[in-house]
Amino acid sequence: MALQCLYRGSASDLAAAIAGGGFAERLADRFNEVFWEMPDPREVESWANSIPTVVGLLVDAGLDDVQVLLELKAPITDIRMDMVLVGSYPETDLMSVVVVENKQWRWIQPDGEMVRLSKNGAPHLHPANQTWGYLQVLRGYVSMLVDEKICGIVNLHNAPAHLVHAARPVARKQEETQEPENPVPRWVAMYGAGEHRQEFRDTLLRRLSGERAAEHADTLLQAPVRLAEGLMTRVAACVRGRQVFPLLDEQREAYDYVRHLVAKSKQSGGKEIVAIVGGPGTGKSVIALELLGTLCRQKVHAVHATGSRSFTRTLWKYAGLPSKERGAFTYFNTFTDATPDDIEVLIADEAHRIRETSRDRTDENDMREPPPQIDELIHAARVPVFLLDDHQIVRRGEVGSLDLIRAKARELGYGLREITLRHQFRSGGSPEYVDWVDRLLMLAPPQGRPVWRPLDDFSLYVAPTPLAMEKYLKARAAEERKVRIAAGFCWKWNKPNDDGTLPDDVTIDEWRRPWNSKAEEYLGDIPPSPLWATDPAGVNQVGCVYSAQGFEYDYAGVIIGKDLVWRNEWQTERRHNKDRDQINAEDFSTVVRNTYRVLATRGMRGAVLYAHDEATNQLLIDLGVPLLDQHGVPVTST
């Protein structure tokens, strides 16, 4: 895995290409060639208007040989950085890297740690914080970069200098970290129009020379990228120590906006709901845990809640919290008797798992209508935050959706801020895989036949048998990768045997394996269901959607049961499903397809699919998914 960019050339080469005309259009053609789609017209406009303002300064400063990387893909994600300038640090042989974020804004005003783009506009992510995130991810995942020789610049070439000056980040106390001040002002500069252009030029001269620039650019683009760690491996540091995950673009905007509301709620009695929406791997739980950690360190009463026993119990374990402190991680159904606004911030993670109500009617003569669970969650906190994915409702009674939150906000008279997470941090940072799964399962418009096109950073295979899948995954486990096999709920889930072993419930021909344990505690080395996805011994059992949802592992094996089969279109078969909640779901077809979407999108680096139905497995092969042989080895095409 290495860094990739859309264009690479010296400043003088780029200046000549721009002078020749049509450069932005040629870059758009290159974008279409690489990403199989045309770029947003606003992005093409930015290329045409912003890039020349930086290239002109480089050439004017005599930095003709400095290498310019356009649209450099950040490590571990599909986010692209506008411009990365590479050269030597003046009077040294060390590589120097300057990340430039271009903004065409003509007006800017600070609002706490955020900015407004018009006097009555909503707060937006501060571009200095956005650029700081890029520096963090480069430092964190490209180990060869030296801290002192990398910095960021926000290029606001259309904005008046006095407005940009007022919006520049200033030194301020960082909440209970090892650093006495916020690091952003030290590493990120902002320049507007007018007199700021000379300051920008002078900064480039202080940070860059053209010596060995081409060599350094080669080294950077060929540098190994450190693999991303799973969420649970760093949750303790996140919750108890300091920020450990780089928050990029919409992630950082969501994080900053919630903190903005916390400060605002202390000054006024108004309430605003925040809905953070994103698909698998967009970082919803990272935002949730970073928010919880930061707010708790600031002595803000914040609580993290989910509707998942597996996710919450795993957080208890990996956060390393004593029992008396576990109240920071709780469940949606614990707020039935909460005093209104008793909590400052309620972070409702996996909010698609919100139920119709928290109360089960035990007395059939009690005709009272129990309150909706969504109402209880909203009333419990001054700042309610919901993180969700509409395509992860997988059982009867789950009603969490963006439409529900919108309706409740209107009904209760509260404001609502919606933030959509667009970028992918799982699946090798490739959104193409998740998009393909959505189109395959017809959870998104198909846009033609969903043919699979292999990706550089994510491997996908179809197995002829579950044994071949298992052999492939065992080979990855031997490379110290975390692997799991999960399946649709098409086999009975029996209790443990009397001797403490698990029955081989999942049977396909001669292949037999147990479901994850039903027990609440360990059975010898066998983990309980909530810890199946994270305990190393979980590799020996087959997981289901309830033990896999919310988690991630390096490689995901997915067994598609006969409750979903292809017969020139998707057909769902209730008779093959053994889960009462799913069988009795009103929209069984959507629930089943959502289930397989969840299972198929757990892998960070790869996935193997196997359909129990022969015609369905053949569909995957016909769509171009590479095939494994009986030994779990990829079949090479001839």
Side-chain angles (χ1 to χ4, degrees):
M1 187 181 296
L3 298 175
Q4 300 172 329
C5 65
L6 206 57
Y7 172 93
R8 178 240 172 126
S10 68
S12 59
D13 289 342
L14 185 51
I18 293 170
F23 177 75
E25 290 73 19
R26 294 195 298 278
L27 199 60
D29 290 339
R30 171 65 178 161
F31 186 99
N32 185 35
E33 178 184 332
V34 173
F35 297 111
W36 295 79
E37 63 180 358
M38 292 301 296
D40 189 301
R42 292 171 297 181
E43 193 164 23
V44 179
E45 181 184 7
S46 175
W47 294 338
N49 295 336
S50 299
I51 292 173
T53 68
V54 179
V55 173
L57 290 178
L58 287 168
V59 173
D60 183 62
L63 298 173
D64 301 61
D65 294 331
V66 164
Q67 294 287 295
V68 181
L69 311 180
L70 300 181
E71 301 298 323
L72 181 72
K73 184 175 177 288
I76 74 167
T77 177
D78 62 316
I79 287 176
R80 291 173 281 109
M81 293 171 272
D82 290 344
M83 303 177 72
V84 176
L85 314 179
V86 183
S88 291
Y89 200 81
E91 300 182 1
T92 76
D93 287 332
L94 296 175
M95 179 192 301
S96 181
V97 173
V98 178
V99 176
V100 180
E101 173 63 22
N102 292 317
K103 298 293 186 188
Q104 297 190 79
W105 303 341
R106 297 182 180 276
W107 196 91
I108 184 173
Q109 183 182 66
D111 186 354
E113 287 199 20
M114 305 189 79
V115 296
R116 295 181 187 270
L117 308 185
S118 63
K119 289 184 179 180
N120 297 318
H124 282 265
L125 173 64
H126 197 298
N129 286 343
Q130 178 184 356
T131 307
W132 169 243
Y134 299 156
L135 301 184
Q136 283 184 297
V137 78
L138 283 172
R139 286 177 174 138
Y141 294 93
V142 185
S143 57
M144 59 161 289
L145 291 176
V146 180
D147 282 357
E148 293 80 6
K149 303 301 181 287
I150 179 171
C151 71
I153 293 176
V154 180
N155 176 33
L156 290 142
H157 53 90
N158 288 329
H162 71 281
L163 293 180
V164 175
H165 180 80
R168 284 173 168 171
V170 295
R172 56 185 179 272
K173 187 175 181 180
Q174 181 84 339
E175 63 279 354
E176 295 187 22
T177 70
Q178 296 176 2
E179 297 186 23
E181 60 181 359
N182 190 314
V184 176
R186 200 172 342 134
W187 298 108
V188 181
M190 292 176 61
Y191 300 110
E195 62 267 27
H196 274 190
R197 306 321 288 171
Q198 183 63 40
E199 290 184 38
F200 192 166
R201 178 184 180 277
D202 292 345
T203 296
L204 293 174
L205 282 169
R206 286 197 303 272
R207 304 293 310 197
L208 291 165
S209 80
E211 296 294 324
R212 300 180 60 194
E215 179 184 342
H216 286 317
D218 287 340
T219 302
L220 178 62
L221 290 173
Q222 296 167 13
V225 174
R226 183 172 64 83
L227 298 175
E229 294 182 83
L231 176 67
M232 293 303 167
T233 62
R234 306 184 73 184
V235 67
C238 177
V239 173
R240 305 182 72 180
R242 54 179 299 179
Q243 190 176 59
V244 296
F245 294 102
L247 298 175
L248 303 180
D249 289 19
E250 296 89 0
Q251 290 182 328
R252 180 66 193 237
E253 181 171 9
Y255 171 87
D256 283 347
Y257 191 74
V258 172
R259 296 194 302 148
H260 169 83
L261 285 185
V262 171
K264 182 179 175 182
S265 71
K266 295 178 179 178
Q267 302 169 2
S268 65
K271 179 180 290 193
E272 185 172 345
I273 300 167
V274 181
I276 303 169
V277 184
T282 51
K284 298 183 294 297
S285 292
V286 165
I287 297 169
L289 293 178
E290 286 289 6
L291 268 175
L292 180 68
T294 297
L295 294 172
C296 288
R297 290 192 295 274
Q298 293 175 332
K299 310 304 181 185
V300 173
H301 183 196
V303 174
H304 179 283
T306 78
S308 168
R309 187 170 61 98
S310 294
F311 198 66
T312 299
R313 283 194 59 182
T314 303
L315 287 172
W316 289 350
K317 176 182 177 180
Y318 283 87
L321 298 174
S323 298
K324 64 180 180 180
E325 295 181 22
R326 287 180 178 175
F329 296 107
T330 188
Y331 301 102
F332 293 154
N333 62 4
T334 58
F335 298 96
T336 54
D337 300 313
T339 303
D341 295 342
D342 186 47
I343 302 165
E344 290 185 78
V345 182
L346 174 61
I347 303 166
D349 199 0
E350 300 277 309
H352 37 266
R353 302 204 65 176
I354 290 174
R355 311 285 285 187
E356 293 176 351
T357 177
S358 300
R359 301 176 188 266
D360 294 323
R361 184 181 280 117
T362 55
D363 183 355
E364 60 183 21
N365 296 318
D366 187 347
M367 302 306 294
R368 291 177 299 173
E369 191 68 28
Q373 192 173 82
I374 182 72
D375 288 15
E376 295 171 347
L377 296 172
I378 291 173
H379 291 318
R382 278 187 275 172
V383 180
V385 181
F386 298 93
L387 301 102
L388 72 156
D389 175 359
D390 278 353
H391 290 314
Q392 288 201 44
I393 294 175
V394 296
R395 69 193 307 176
R396 178 187 57 173
E398 292 179 347
V399 297
S401 70
L402 183 57
D403 284 345
L404 174 68
I405 295 169
R406 286 170 174 166
K408 279 298 172 184
R410 288 193 299 268
E411 176 187 325
L412 298 172
Y414 296 142
L416 172 64
R417 175 67 177 263
E418 299 176 18
I419 299 174
T420 301
L421 305 176
R422 298 180 291 111
H423 297 291
Q424 180 57 237
F425 292 80
R426 200 181 288 162
S427 306
S430 299
E432 294 88 349
Y433 172 66
V434 177
D435 292 344
W436 179 81
V437 171
D438 285 347
R439 290 189 295 118
L440 172 70
L441 296 173
M442 296 184 177
L443 295 168
Q447 299 175 342
R449 187 173 169 84
V451 175
W452 173 250
R453 295 185 178 94
L455 301 171
D456 292 334
D457 298 332
F458 187 81
S459 58
L460 176 66
Y461 294 101
V462 58
T465 65
L467 181 59
M469 169 192 289
E470 189 176 59
K471 287 181 176 179
Y472 175 85
L473 293 175
K474 282 185 175 180
R476 304 290 76 75
E479 299 167 351
E480 297 187 354
R481 300 286 179 246
K482 186 177 176 182
V483 306
R484 291 292 186 274
I485 294 177
F489 230 126
C490 296
W491 293 266
K492 288 184 178 180
W493 188 14
N494 292 302
K495 294 180 179 180
N497 297 320
D498 292 339
D499 61 0
T501 61
L502 300 178
D504 288 332
D505 288 326
V506 184
T507 61
I508 300 174
D509 300 325
E510 300 301 319
W511 189 81
R512 298 170 178 270
R513 296 293 180 270
W515 282 117
N516 52 256
S517 174
K518 265 190 172 184
E520 289 296 315
E521 303 298 335
Y522 278 86
L523 294 174
D525 294 332
I526 301 171
S529 176
L531 303 180
W532 167 83
T534 53
D535 190 293
V539 72
N540 298 314
Q541 303 99 44
V542 177
C544 67
V545 67
Y546 306 128
S547 50
Q549 190 173 34
F551 297 100
E552 60 192 11
Y553 19 89
D554 293 320
Y555 290 90
V558 182
I559 298 175
I560 302 172
K562 289 187 177 181
D563 56 351
L564 182 67
V565 297
W566 180 259
R567 299 291 184 266
N568 294 320
E569 63 179 2
W570 287 117
Q571 295 183 7
T572 49
E573 300 281 353
R574 291 181 192 262
R575 63 193 175 93
H576 287 295
N577 192 288
K578 307 301 181 184
D579 178 42
R580 285 179 298 177
D581 274 327
Q582 293 195 338
I583 292 171
N584 294 315
E586 184 175 346
D587 189 353
F588 178 73
S589 174
T590 299
V591 163
V592 168
R593 287 179 291 135
N594 282 350
T595 292
Y596 288 113
R597 177 183 186 261
V598 169
L599 298 183
T601 53
R602 300 303 93 194
M604 299 173 67
R605 297 179 178 86
V608 184
L609 308 179
Y610 167 77
H612 192 191
D613 174 72
E614 185 176 348
T616 308
N617 215 44
Q618 187 61 47
L619 167 72
L620 300 173
I621 298 170
D622 293 344
L623 291 175
V625 180
L627 182 65
L628 299 176
D629 66 17
Q630 296 291 340
H631 303 287
V633 176
V635 176
T636 55
S637 58
T638 57

